Amino acid sequence: MKVIIVALLSLALWGCGSDATGSLGQQTLGNMVIEVQCRPTPVTVGMNEFLVLATDVNGAPAHDLMVDLRMRDGDIWQQAIQDGFSGVYRKALGVKSLQEQLQVRIKRKGTVTVLHYPLIKPK
């Protein structure tokens, strides 16, 4: 019985170390934390949905943003759809290469910042 419990706990801890959420990473922007997640996980060539999760340093949702996304410098910015007042912004974009970086433009109270998220994590 102990062996089964240890095996299950080991499996659970192993799952915590993997990136099951599809997170491309977190970046701090002033007093906010901006995390980007993708669907499907991992990112694939073709259409992918990107979720931008914005919270303040206390974990409260940042719902007063304008969020735009694009894959390449020459692309037109695409406005993400705000998911209520949850601090989640969604947009599907076509990915041509996994070597690209997702560009996230955040507008808040007259300030504009562009963050970059690699689609694959460097080894």
Side-chain angles (χ1 to χ4, degrees), residues 12-13 23 25-26 30 40 47 54 60 63 69 87 95 97-98 107 116-117 122:
L13 289 174
S23 179
Q26 293 184 348
M47 291 302 288
H63 54 80
L69 306 174
V95 174
S97 167
L98 297 180
K107 296 179 185 176
H116 294 81
Y117 291 85

Side-chain angles (χ1 to χ4, degrees), residues 58-102:
N58 298 319
H63 54 80
D64 59 342
L65 309 176
M66 176 80 72
V67 177
D68 301 299
L69 306 174
R70 69 181 183 183
M71 294 305 305
R72 293 162 289 283
D73 286 338
D75 289 353
I76 296 172
W77 288 103
Q78 302 288 322
Q79 184 175 348
I81 297 169
Q82 186 174 357
D83 195 356
F85 291 103
S86 63
V88 177
Y89 303 81
R90 301 170 174 270
K91 184 67 183 170
L93 295 175
V95 174
K96 293 182 180 177
S97 167
L98 297 180
Q99 303 307 313
E100 297 175 321
Q101 289 193 2
L102 177 68

Side-chain angles (χ1 to χ4, degrees), residues 13-69:
L13 289 174
W14 174 77
C16 291
S18 68
D19 200 357
T21 64
S23 179
L24 298 180
Q26 293 184 348
Q27 295 184 42
T28 303
L29 178 59
N31 67 342
M32 292 185 298
V33 176
I34 308 295
E35 179 181 357
V36 175
Q37 295 181 2
C38 65
R39 308 285 187 274
T41 301
V43 177
T44 59
V45 172
M47 291 302 288
N48 292 263
E49 180 183 34
F50 296 96
L51 287 77
V52 177
L53 292 81
T55 57
D56 66 19
V57 291
N58 298 319
H63 54 80
D64 59 342
L65 309 176
M66 176 80 72
V67 177
D68 301 299
L69 306 174

